[in-house]
Amino acid sequence: MTIEAFEKQTDATMDKNRNSAIGQMLLNQGKLTPQQAEKVLLLQKEQDLRFGEAAIKLGFISETDLQRVLSSQFDYAFLSKDDRSLSENLLAAYQPHAEEVEALRSLRSQLMLRWMGDGNKAVAVASHNAGRANSWLAANLAVVFSQLGERTLLIDGNMRFPSQHEFFKLDNRQGLSDILAGRATLECANRIPNLLDLSVLTAGTPVPNPQELLTRASFAGLMDRAEVGFDVIILDTPPMELAADAQMIAARSRGVVLLADAGKSGVIALTRCRDQLATSGATVLGCVLNHLKGAE
């Protein structure tokens, strides 16, 4: 047997095993009956289709059904379109194959290679005036890290205009501000049921002095505990044009991604932000350009 023939046979065997596993999972979940499975196998053989493609073509399952099986087979968590447990703004959770999510995964890869690969765990997301787009990026970046199987903690460090409890539909009665004030512990972070490797620490009780809270030793203690319990820590921050909170958070995370909002963020302002972050002792890992209307 030639090497080419062997490779073709190996590929065919892998496809057959994968199709068999998918079919069995659909049967186990009650998505297919044994009679339907037989019809799928016949169509699959007649038209040289994959099992899932044939089942969809016959109308026995939906694209969502297939994606759920694939996510389970490859241990990749995502939500179906009819699941309303989280905000639809979390594209990484609802549309894992979208072009924007591919860009997020590319950013994840760069961070893993250039930052996490050196033993670092925390990354802050900062901007001059991107506002909610900054929170959107932090949330979706945390989701794609969790989908990789990394134990991920998303911290809403924007105690002035918090958004993460809205994205993840969480109670915001206790969170970061409460931990920094000594009224709570990291145990108040919320585990996201449908994204099992993701936990979210909301901003917590509204306070008049977020900057002062961030200077406390309790913030350093929180980061130390988080780095023990999690593989990746993503921190959302308020716009740098409003306050110095982002600089203080970046000083603790030591790494920061700077977000530029298309049509809003000027070069001079971004350069000033970069310099301020560098002055705080953080490494500016790169700049991301946001052009999504839904992320504003």
Side-chain angles (χ1 to χ4, degrees):
M1 179 183 290
T2 65
I3 293 177
E4 182 179 0
F6 175 76
E7 289 177 342
K8 287 182 177 179
Q9 179 176 319
T10 301
D11 289 344
T13 301
M14 289 176 65
D15 282 343
K16 182 178 180 180
N17 291 339
R18 187 179 298 114
N19 288 332
S20 175
I22 290 173
Q24 189 60 55
M25 291 175 73
L26 289 167
L27 282 168
N28 292 343
Q29 294 176 9
K31 298 295 183 181
L32 287 179
T33 65
Q35 293 77 17
Q36 289 173 328
E38 289 182 10
K39 293 180 180 179
V40 172
L41 289 170
L42 287 173
L43 182 63
Q44 179 187 4
K45 186 175 182 180
E46 289 173 1
Q47 299 188 14
D48 192 25
L49 300 172
R50 295 184 184 275
F51 188 92
E53 293 172 336
I56 290 175
K57 191 168 186 178
L58 288 169
F60 293 154
I61 65 171
S62 65
E63 179 68 28
T64 299
D65 292 330
L66 178 59
Q67 292 299 333
R68 279 195 171 279
V69 168
L70 289 172
S71 72
S72 177
Q73 186 181 29
F74 294 100
D75 196 21
Y76 187 86
F78 80 102
L79 281 65
S80 65
K81 292 180 180 179
D82 57 354
D83 188 324
R84 295 291 181 267
S85 60
L86 305 179
S87 167
E88 62 183 11
N89 284 317
L90 295 173
L91 290 186
Y94 286 102
Q95 302 179 45
H97 305 296
E99 182 179 347
E100 297 85 354
V101 181
E102 287 295 337
L104 286 165
R105 283 194 282 267
S106 294
L107 174 59
R108 178 188 67 190
S109 297
Q110 289 298 316
L111 291 173
M112 293 186 71
L113 290 170
R114 296 173 54 192
W115 187 242
M116 276 80 172
D118 292 330
N120 300 297
K121 290 188 174 185
V123 176
V125 179
S127 69
H128 170 62
N129 61 350
R132 194 172 175 85
N134 195 87
S135 299
W136 181 93
L137 176 59
N140 281 277
L141 187 58
V143 171
V144 295
F145 267 110
S146 73
Q147 289 170 329
L148 196 62
E150 301 286 342
R151 295 173 301 165
T152 304
L153 174 65
L154 171 62
I155 299 177
D156 194 345
N158 188 350
M159 291 181 280
R160 298 174 189 271
F161 303 101
S163 297
Q164 299 304 338
H165 66 287
E166 296 176 357
F167 287 146
F168 292 92
K169 298 186 178 181
L170 299 170
D171 191 335
N172 192 32
R173 284 184 296 181
Q174 277 197 325
L176 176 61
S177 64
D178 303 278
I179 294 176
L180 299 184
R183 296 195 300 265
T185 65
L186 187 53
E187 279 64 41
C188 71
N190 301 270
R191 190 82 175 267
I192 306 303
N194 292 324
L195 300 168
L196 294 180
D197 287 304
L198 178 62
S199 296
V200 178
L201 178 63
T202 63
T205 304
V207 292
N209 60 335
Q211 192 169 322
E212 286 74 16
L213 285 178
L214 291 168
T215 65
R216 295 186 179 183
S218 52
F219 186 33
L222 167 63
M223 293 300 295
D224 289 341
R225 291 192 297 277
E227 291 193 3
V228 171
F230 294 90
D231 302 314
V232 176
I233 305 158
I234 305 296
L235 298 103
D236 185 12
T237 68
M240 292 182 65
E241 69 172 355
L242 298 179
D245 299 19
Q247 292 171 253
M248 306 184 75
I249 293 172
R252 292 297 183 189
S253 67
R254 299 185 297 277
V256 58
V257 170
L258 186 58
L259 175 65
D261 215 353
K264 291 176 60 179
S265 302
V267 174
I268 295 176
L270 287 172
T271 302
R272 186 165 58 248
C273 288
R274 180 201 62 189
D275 293 342
Q276 290 171 344
L277 290 166
T279 300
S280 73
T283 300
V284 179
L285 302 170
C287 185
V288 175
L289 179 64
N290 169 58
H291 58 83
L292 282 177
K293 296 295 183 182
E296 293 179 353

